[in-house]
Amino acid sequence: ERGITIKASMVRLSYRSRSGEDYILNLIDTPGHVDFTYEVSKSLAACEGAVLVVDAGQGIEAQTVANYYLARENKLMIIPVINKIVLSNADIPRVKKQIVGVLGFKEEDIILASAKVGSGIEEILERVVEVIPPPSGEITHPLKALVFDCRFDTFKGVVVFVRIMDGKIDRHTQIKFMQKGQSYKIEELGVFKDLKYFEVYSLSCGEVGYLTANIRDPREIIIGDTM
């Protein structure tokens, strides 16, 4: 209710670019606060790029710089965005100067956006499909996936969020978590679409999705584990 993200959220959306190409985008919204650095680092490890959002009123904060360097360490393509540009206390020239001076971006690369009035959204998506590389990985290789998050659902048990790095996974795949060496049978496989769970038959390399495997204790899942 106070606009503070304390848990990573992911969503899959379809986007048709201005050139007429259709894209599938897997987006992860991570906490910006410095207390959640571990969670942010695992989410960044699942991505090819990052949209660095800076508040037009507050400007660059310590956590902005920390997350910027985390993204750099993961060799991600970074897109700078100034958000909340319609606020009464917005100081766009000052924030632009900070982004150029502190983070080293060019002024013309900075996108101005406001979620409130919907401006800049298409520009961000266009930049995403233009500069961020498609996922690497080979569908013919054995399954390898990164566990970047999980949450507990009263009806489904533990829902595990994974990024498929190599190979593919379907509902009949027997999975094994490498850290604890435990194996499970998949109960449900899907993606998070339109803010809802959406079941799919399979996920292949480069895709992000969720799975359930009748796991009742979240402590059985280690964030950052290989599946």
Side-chain angles (χ1 to χ4, degrees), residues 104-130:
F105 288 104
K106 295 176 183 173
E107 189 172 327
E108 58 267 26
D109 290 340
I110 301 169
I111 299 172
L112 304 181
S114 167
K116 189 174 185 179
V117 299
S119 68
I121 309 303
E122 190 177 345
E123 286 78 5
I124 294 171
L125 294 174
E126 282 294 320
R127 184 76 61 82
V128 166
V129 300
E130 181 187 322

Side-chain angles (χ1 to χ4, degrees), residues 149-206:
D149 198 12
C150 73
R151 68 176 60 152
F152 186 80
D153 185 281
T154 310
F155 304 103
K156 300 175 186 290
V158 179
V159 181
V160 184
F161 295 124
V162 294
R163 151 76 195 268
I164 313 299
M165 310 303 267
D166 275 315
K168 63 176 289 189
I169 184 172
D170 60 40
R171 294 180 189 177
H172 304 296
T173 307
Q174 187 86 3
I175 57 169
K176 181 179 183 180
F177 294 101
M178 300 306 289
Q179 197 119 351
K180 290 195 172 182
Q182 290 174 301
S183 297
Y184 298 91
K185 179 179 178 295
I186 293 176
E187 300 286 329
E188 186 181 324
L189 187 68
V191 295
F192 205 57
K193 198 174 178 183
D194 300 327
L195 303 179
K196 300 187 191 76
Y197 293 115
F198 185 84
E199 285 192 57
V200 297
Y201 180 76
S202 67
L203 293 170
S204 60
C205 61

Side-chain angles (χ1 to χ4, degrees), residues 12 21 55 59 68 83 92 113 120 184 195 225:
R12 173 179 177 142
E21 295 282 336
D55 191 303
Y68 166 76
N83 189 29
I92 296 169
Y184 298 91
L195 303 179
D225 199 359

Side-chain angles (χ1 to χ4, degrees), residues 39-152:
E39 188 172 32
V40 172
S41 68
K42 294 308 167 197
S43 297
L44 290 176
C47 297
E48 274 69 40
V51 178
L52 185 69
V53 181
V54 181
D55 191 303
Q58 294 177 323
I60 286 182
E61 300 173 282
Q63 62 206 34
T64 313
V65 179
N67 289 334
Y68 166 76
Y69 281 110
L70 270 179
R72 284 280 302 271
E73 284 170 22
N74 280 274
K75 296 182 172 61
L76 301 189
M77 182 66 72
I78 304 170
I79 299 169
V81 172
I82 299 177
N83 189 29
K84 303 182 182 177
I85 58 171
V86 296
L87 286 182
S88 56
N89 65 333
D91 188 347
I92 296 169
R94 178 180 66 89
V95 178
K96 274 187 176 181
K97 196 173 178 181
Q98 286 181 345
I99 292 174
V100 172
V102 178
L103 304 181
F105 288 104
K106 295 176 183 173
E107 189 172 327
E108 58 267 26
D109 290 340
I110 301 169
I111 299 172
L112 304 181
S114 167
K116 189 174 185 179
V117 299
S119 68
I121 309 303
E122 190 177 345
E123 286 78 5
I124 294 171
L125 294 174
E126 282 294 320
R127 184 76 61 82
V128 166
V129 300
E130 181 187 322
V131 305
I132 293 179
S136 57
E138 290 292 336
I139 197 167
T140 54
H141 288 183
L143 173 66
K144 185 169 72 175
L146 168 71
V147 177
F148 67 86
D149 198 12
C150 73
R151 68 176 60 152
F152 186 80

